[in-house]
Amino acid sequence: MINFYTSENGSLCQRDEPETGCWISVVDPTPEEVRELIEVYGLDSGFVKSSIDEEESSRIEREDDQTLIIIDTPVSAVDDDKTRNFYTMPMGIIITEEYVFTISIKETQIIKEAERGGIRNLRPSFKTRFVLQLLLRIAALFLTYLKQIDKISSAAEQELHDAMKNELLMQLLALEKSLVYFSTSLKANEGTIEKIFRGRVIKLYEEDQDLLEDVLIEMKQAIEMASIYTGILSSMMDGFSSVISNNLNMVMWRLTIVTILMQIPNIIFALYGINTVDLPVPYTWFPITLAVILTLIASVILNKWKKK
């Protein structure tokens, strides 16, 4: 799907045809639309293919009069088992002399917000500022999702204190994996933004310097938060692993005690059940009484041994 947007009075307006200085949003392009981007708009085929490749890492590249920025964007989704996952997906930004293109394999939160006017003062005609505003919103969205991860993990921790549930443990494992994805993508994004900061690939204007510094600060803050939350979640998982192991040991110990205590009556009754005349006190009440007394003595001894 290809949409065209221009700015009017500080807000974006969708157009039926592209205009010079407009933003061309491409989401989940069909093979025909990919050919159109290459043949009609003259985009570099390598740039277009890189933008729709899920395995592409964040980078910036320039070819002739076109500049490609691959940036990782955060995505939140809920699985069929109601486990919330967070991951990243690359988005390509291609800057040409006439247009700014954003190309992604699926619609992301960033694209939705931009198209609906959720990002203020977006002006595609000011290409550098437009790109920096998108990057700033991406960094802010990383921070938002990181805070959500912290809230979900804290809520799961409180519930796990009351009862160990597999669903909650799976949620924590999913969050831990999400933080690894976020940390990796954020560090790659930081390298890309630092290259932009040097001003060798994209022309920077004085009024854009502050905005670019804000982007870099937000990205570094997100990296720091991801690192902190990763450490907290990892320690939490280690702690719950120890608790689960300890609980398992307690259950096994109780089962062992029950098994030992149950064997005492079995041994006595089996002994008095054989055909022999030499058993002491050959009366029914004696083996029952003996079994009860020995079982009680064994339970007291095992109980004291457990406390030691």
Side-chain angles (χ1 to χ4, degrees):
M1 183 173 61
I2 300 178
N3 294 317
F4 311 100
Y5 297 92
T6 59
S7 61
E8 260 186 32
N9 300 322
S11 61
L12 287 178
C13 299
Q14 188 169 356
R15 303 297 183 189
D16 296 328
E17 297 293 334
E19 301 177 6
T20 300
C22 76
W23 165 37
I24 301 179
S25 173
V26 183
V27 177
D28 190 19
T30 62
E32 291 76 17
E33 289 174 335
V34 171
R35 283 197 297 271
E36 180 182 349
L37 291 173
I38 296 171
E39 296 173 3
V40 177
Y41 296 100
L43 295 184
D44 186 278
S45 59
F47 285 1
V48 176
K49 292 177 182 177
S50 296
S51 299
I52 55 177
D53 185 357
E54 291 186 30
E55 304 302 323
E56 279 293 329
S57 58
S58 180
R59 72 178 194 277
I60 184 168
E61 188 177 336
R62 186 172 179 82
E63 188 70 34
D64 297 331
D65 59 346
Q66 298 180 17
T67 302
L68 169 69
I69 301 173
I70 299 288
I71 200 77
D72 287 328
T73 61
V75 179
S76 173
V78 179
D79 291 344
D80 294 335
D81 59 356
K82 297 183 180 180
T83 300
R84 178 165 290 279
N85 286 316
F86 297 86
Y87 59 95
T88 60
M89 185 177 64
M91 180 180 73
I93 303 174
I94 302 177
I95 306 172
T96 66
E97 291 184 356
E98 294 184 331
Y99 311 113
V100 177
F101 296 81
T102 59
I103 306 175
S104 58
I105 54 178
K106 67 164 65 172
E107 190 174 32
T108 61
Q109 184 68 22
I110 300 298
I111 299 299
K112 289 179 183 178
E113 289 185 9
E115 291 178 343
R116 296 170 185 173
I119 304 176
R120 298 176 59 187
N121 298 322
L122 270 181
R123 297 181 180 179
S125 55
F126 297 99
K127 301 182 183 67
T128 301
R129 176 166 284 271
F130 176 82
V131 171
L132 293 179
Q133 285 177 299
L134 288 182
L135 295 179
L136 182 61
R137 184 62 194 125
I138 289 171
L141 192 58
F142 267 112
L143 290 171
T144 300
Y145 283 166
L146 284 169
K147 290 176 183 177
Q148 289 184 15
I149 289 174
D150 183 48
K151 288 181 180 179
I152 294 171
S153 62
S154 297
E157 181 185 7
Q158 291 298 323
E159 291 187 43
L160 283 170
H161 278 303
D162 300 328
M164 290 290 177
K165 297 180 181 178
N166 290 338
E167 295 82 2
L168 295 174
L169 291 173
M170 292 303 297
Q171 177 68 83
L172 290 177
L173 286 172
L175 294 179
E176 192 172 25
K177 184 170 68 173
S178 299
L179 286 172
V180 173
Y181 289 149
F182 274 20
S183 296
T184 304
S185 297
L186 283 167
K187 288 177 182 177
N189 286 353
E190 182 188 24
T192 300
I193 293 169
E194 285 179 343
K195 288 182 181 178
I196 296 174
F197 192 78
R198 298 188 191 105
R200 297 176 183 175
V201 183
I202 297 179
K203 185 177 180 181
L204 297 175
Y205 301 91
E206 287 187 15
E207 57 269 23
D208 297 328
Q209 288 293 337
D210 290 340
L211 183 57
L212 182 55
E213 288 177 3
D214 290 341
V215 174
L216 196 55
I217 290 171
E218 291 281 303
M219 202 65 71
K220 288 182 180 296
Q221 184 180 350
I223 292 172
E224 186 67 23
M225 284 179 64
S227 177
I228 293 171
Y229 292 158
T230 300
I232 292 173
L233 197 55
S234 178
S235 299
M236 188 190 305
M237 291 300 294
D238 290 341
F240 281 122
S241 176
S242 299
V243 171
I244 292 170
S245 178
N246 185 59
N247 290 343
L248 179 61
N249 290 337
M250 295 296 293
V251 170
M252 294 303 297
W253 173 252
R254 292 191 185 102
L255 289 175
T256 302
I257 291 177
V258 171
T259 303
I260 293 172
L261 295 179
M262 290 179 66
Q263 287 304 314
I264 295 174
N266 287 337
I267 294 172
I268 294 173
F269 295 151
L271 183 63
Y272 274 83
I274 62 177
N275 286 327
T276 179
V277 294
D278 298 328
L279 291 173
V281 193
Y283 301 106
T284 304
W285 63 267
F286 180 75
I288 295 175
T289 306
L290 182 62
V292 171
I293 293 173
L294 290 178
T295 301
L296 290 174
I297 293 172
S299 63
V300 171
I301 294 173
L302 291 173
N303 229 11
K304 290 184 176 180
W305 185 22
K306 172 189 170 184
K307 291 180 180 178
K308 290 180 180 179

